[in-house]
Amino acid sequence: MAKLHLHNTLTRKKEPFEPIDAKNIRMYVCGPTVYDFAHIGNARPVIVFDVLFRLLRHLYGADHVTYARNITDVDDKINKRAFERWDHKSSLTKAIRDLTDGTLEQFHKDVDALGCLRPTHEPRATDFVSNGEQPLDMVRVIEKLIANGNAYAAEGHVLFNVPSMEGYGALARRPKDDMIAGARVEVAPYKRDPMDFVLWKPSDPATEPGWDSPWGYGRPGWHIECSAMSGALLGEVFDIHAGGLDLIFPHHENEIAQSCCAFGKPGQPNPLMARYWLHNGFLQVEGQKMSKSLGNFRTIREVLNDGWSGEVVRLTMLKTHYRQPIDWTLKSLEESQNVLDNWATILRNFAEPEVAGEKAPAEFIDALADDLNISSALAVMHGFARGARGGDRADAAKLFDCLSLLGIDISTHQAKADALDFQEAIDPAFEQYITAAIEARLAARAAKNWAESDRIRDELASKGIQLKDGKDANGNAITTWEVKR
Ligand code: AMP
Ligand code: ZN
């Protein structure tokens, strides 16, 4: 079988993948800022690196891959929005947590619908600012940077001193003037060098979240969270670090500076934070940059509400190689819909056990192992589809296996017309009624009024709505619903 090769932004080359420890491959992907609904561009890294996660699990064993994707829940846009909505009855910290809990729950619904596996770890930045229960936190990383001579405190701030690190800029490879302009760093009197970036800044307790620290009440800069959380969960040096192209500079460059300097010895930074740096290309909509002002801004939820299924969205995202820019168009969605309709029809001719094969075929894995070469992989799949259409059971099983490795669940795939009927059945008023009933039921359960809770569940069941009880990441009870089929 072909060896896995990945394009590494650090070297600008496709390289053979050599794991640090084949029993524990470690991957970190920069996740969303949970400020608002995730848009379809945010879905791209989530989907493409989910396929890489699945491929690594296939190659090295499902128990030998650790995947961490963070949740940024300290951010000025979040603070501003939470402050505006704050009712002053509870603390500002709680108002922020309520906002990010809601957005995170929606993010989970969205990416679950797109067929993405949950990462092994999904750390929230706020849990790693200053927290003795974690193996490492941001305050401790900053303290190490100060002790190693790479950072300094000034006027309630702590700054990373860029000239203290030889080799800064190795990932972005940009001229210094460019980096200064690109980083859009603030000019401030307390800075020793214009490139120095913020690790810690003071917070106004009346309007901003904050933590006590050796440098006063404040909050972390953005970049430090990924150094602390990857260090805590994956170790000082790990295998793969990924994210969107826009993160190469300054975010990833600064993560490297922080992690290499904090985890190395004074004057001798670690040579690496992660061995392979992967970046997905950007997503445009109908040939234009996606933006609210152009009116072409699409959230994941809107696309799903339009009746496109998770599988269709996923295939549409995966059809373009992950490093290329992708043009998100109606035409492309329709083409994916046709391909999946076609494959579902072919596979329906085979009984379940006949299509449920054992493992993805070698030629398909070989294609993906070549830096996720999706066009070769899809060509292989179209070949199996032709064979299956001619009645070849083995080809049908192979097509099925390729689809499951890509995370595309063909067994639940519906033709677009059915999907639309289903969406239309749930009108907004009915959805509101369901949400209110679920809330009333959660309140009844909290009050241990089981009779009322059961009554509400049965009432919804009589209307074709099935409830599922579970717990969120914080152990609070949550209830989700689906239409009974
Ligand atoms: P953010 O929530 O803005 O920090 O972004 C979360 C992730 O989505 C990052 O990896 C970004 O690089 C990625 N991302 C944001 N916008 C796009 C886009 N239009 N196309 C592709 N990836 C994007
Ligand atoms: Zn990051």
Side-chain angles (χ1 to χ4, degrees), residues 86-337:
W86 184 27
D87 60 7
H88 293 261
K89 286 188 194 130
S90 56
S91 69
L92 175 60
T93 313
K94 176 152 189 320
I96 293 173
R97 189 80 185 192
D98 288 347
L99 169 71
T100 59
D101 277 351
T103 320
L104 178 57
E105 194 186 323
Q106 183 63 45
F107 174 74
H108 279 153
K109 277 192 198 149
D110 291 346
V111 298
D112 289 352
L114 300 180
C116 299
L117 300 173
R118 292 283 175 98
T120 325
H121 302 288
E122 223 179 7
R124 289 175 79 149
T126 47
D127 294 332
F128 284 80
V129 178
S130 173
N131 184 345
E133 285 172 22
Q134 303 292 2
L136 191 66
D137 61 33
M138 300 183 218
V139 166
R140 275 175 275 168
V141 178
I142 297 172
E143 284 175 328
K144 280 177 194 240
L145 287 168
I146 295 176
N148 286 356
N150 298 103
Y152 56 96
E155 299 181 26
H157 293 72
V158 182
L159 290 122
F160 185 94
N161 185 226
V162 169
S164 75
M165 187 202 191
E166 209 183 312
Y168 179 87
L171 180 73
R173 297 193 188 176
R174 293 207 209 174
K176 195 171 170 196
D177 288 352
D178 233 48
M179 288 201 278
I180 296 175
R184 278 185 247 113
V185 282
E186 281 171 62
V187 182
Y190 46 79
K191 274 191 184 177
R192 291 189 191 159
D193 185 278
M195 296 268 288
D196 292 356
F197 60 87
V198 171
L199 301 172
W200 190 262
K201 57 191 166 190
S203 285
D204 174 354
T207 58
E208 291 163 338
W211 288 260
D212 289 322
S213 83
W215 319 287
Y217 185 75
R219 63 192 191 284
W222 171 33
H223 317 300
I224 194 71
E225 71 178 74
C226 292
S227 288
M229 295 190 285
S230 64
L233 300 168
L234 303 181
E236 298 186 353
V237 184
F238 50 94
D239 297 286
I240 298 172
H241 195 316
L245 200 63
D246 56 321
L247 299 183
I248 297 176
F249 190 83
H251 184 55
H252 287 166
E253 194 70 59
N254 291 351
E255 280 189 32
I256 292 175
Q258 294 162 162
S259 293
C260 292
C261 292
F263 304 144
K265 295 192 178 64
Q268 264 184 294
N270 273 351
L272 284 170
M273 173 187 189
R275 287 194 177 181
Y276 303 89
W277 290 78
L278 272 58
H279 292 99
N280 64 270
F282 248 50
L283 174 142
Q284 292 196 314
V285 173
E286 305 283 352
Q288 282 187 305
K289 184 178 172 240
M290 180 168 64
S291 84
K292 289 203 168 130
S293 57
L294 288 172
N296 63 359
F297 187 89
R298 310 289 286 144
T299 63
I300 300 173
R301 194 175 73 153
E302 285 165 343
V303 174
L304 295 170
N305 282 351
D306 280 348
W308 300 105
S309 66
E311 310 88 74
V312 170
V313 174
R314 195 172 167 96
L315 179 62
T316 307
M317 197 67 86
L318 289 174
K319 276 188 309 194
T320 304
H321 187 259
Y322 77 95
R323 286 196 288 116
Q324 299 303 318
I326 184 171
D327 193 16
W328 189 261
T329 62
L330 188 61
K331 186 162 170 276
S332 178
L333 280 162
E334 283 166 354
E335 282 165 6
S336 310
Q337 177 79 48

